[in-house]
Amino acid sequence: MPFPQTEIPGRLQSQLSERGVRMTAQRRAILSVIETAKKHLDASSILRKAQKMDATVDRSTVYRTLELLKRHGAIDELDLMHMEGERHFYERKTGRDHLHMACLRCGKITEFESELFEDLKKQLERDCRFHILVARLEVGGYCAACRK
Amino acid sequence: MPFPQTEIPGRLQSQLSERGVRMTAQRRAILSVIETAKKHLDASSILRKAQKMDATVDRSTVYRTLELLKRHGAIDELDLMHMEGERHFYERKTGRDHLHMACLRCGKITEFESELFEDLKKQLERDCRFHILVARLEVGGYCAACRK
DNA sequence: ATCTAGTTGCGACTTAGTTGCAACTAGAAC
DNA sequence: GTTCTAGTTGCAACTAAGTCGCAACTAGAT
Ligand SMILES: [Mn+2]
Ligand SMILES: [Mn+2]
Ligand SMILES: [Zn+2]
Ligand SMILES: [Zn+2]
C-alpha cells in the first residue's frame, strides 16, 4: 500500500469531521484501522481489528461505515481478482491512483503508479466527456517470480 | 457490447471443443446465451435465458460453466461498480480489451477501446515483468448526459 | 457396444452483505 | 451544563450470490 509520509494519523478522521460527518467511537476505531493498514483489508478483517480498539463495534457498522467512506471518496473498493471468496478489499484513497496486479499463482498483489494510467483517465474525461469519481484497474496474471 | 461482425455463432463452442472441453446440451445453451448477449449479463440472467433453450439447466451448472470459461480466458468478469447488489457480470472476451464506464447517476454503462489502455498493459508486461491474463478497468462517475 | 472420466441436478450449505427497529448519542442550540 | 433531535448504533433476522458433496448420467474415446 502506498503510505505517503504526508499521511498523518487521524487525518482521515478530521477530513470527515470537516465535511460534517459525525464522529463516534466506532467510526474512530474503523477509520484508524483503515488508516494504519499495512495491506488491503476486507470487511471482516476490519471488523476484527476495530473490535480490538472498541469491542462494541458491530459488523453492520463496519459495512455502513465502508459505504460512507466510499460515498465520500475516502476509500477505494477492490476485488483483487476474487482469488478466494467473493469478498471485497478496501484501501485509503491517496492523492494519486494506482493499479493492482494480482498473481494468480502465488497470490501476490503488486501496486503500480503510471503516468499512462493518468493519461488514460484524462482521455476519458476529455473524449468521452465522462466525469471520473473512481477508477479501478485490476490485472490478473503471473508475477515476475512466477512466470515460468 | 462490442459485437464484431467476425464473430460467428457457435464460434465459442468450437473454440472450446478444439481445446478438448466436453460439450453438453447445457453448456451449448449457456454458451449461446453468452455469445448472443446484447448487454452484460449476470449469472441469474444467464440461467433464465439458458433455461429457455434447455429447461434442465441448473444454477450450479451456470456457475461451473462461468468458472470454466474464465479459466479458458473466454469471458471476462465485471463488477460494473456493483451499482445494485453484489452480482458480477459477464461478457465474451473479444480480440481487443475495452474498459467500462458506469454512470453512478443514470446507471448507463459505456464501453471504450483505447490505444492508451493497450500501451499501459504493455508497460506492465515490460516494466513490471508481469504476464497479463486479464485486465479489467472499470470507472465510476457521471456520463456526458448526467454531469450537470 | 462398451467404458470411464467428466459433467449434471439437486439440495443443503456458506459467505458476504443488508435491513428494520428500538435504544443510544454527537454535537448544535440554548 | 441541559436540552434536543437527527444521525448512528447493536442486534437479530434476513437476502443475495455463490459453492459443494454426491449419486445419476453422458460425451466421446476405444
Ligand atoms: Mn466484485
Ligand atoms: Mn463490455
Ligand atoms: Zn506470483
Ligand atoms: Zn448518466
Side-chain angles (χ1 to χ4, degrees), chain B residues 2 4 6-7 11 15 73-74 76 92-98 113 118 121:
Chain B
T6 56
E7 192 71 70
R11 187 69 217 290
Q15 184 186 314
D76 272 327
R92 176 95 175 84
K93 198 164 187 159
T94 56
R96 205 172 181 194
D97 277 347
H98 57 270
E113 278 187 24
E118 299 304 315
K121 288 192 289 176

Side-chain angles (χ1 to χ4, degrees), chain B residues 103-108 142-146:
Chain B
C103 178
L104 303 176
R105 195 165 293 157
C106 71
K108 191 172 85 174
Y142 298 120
C143 78
C146 288

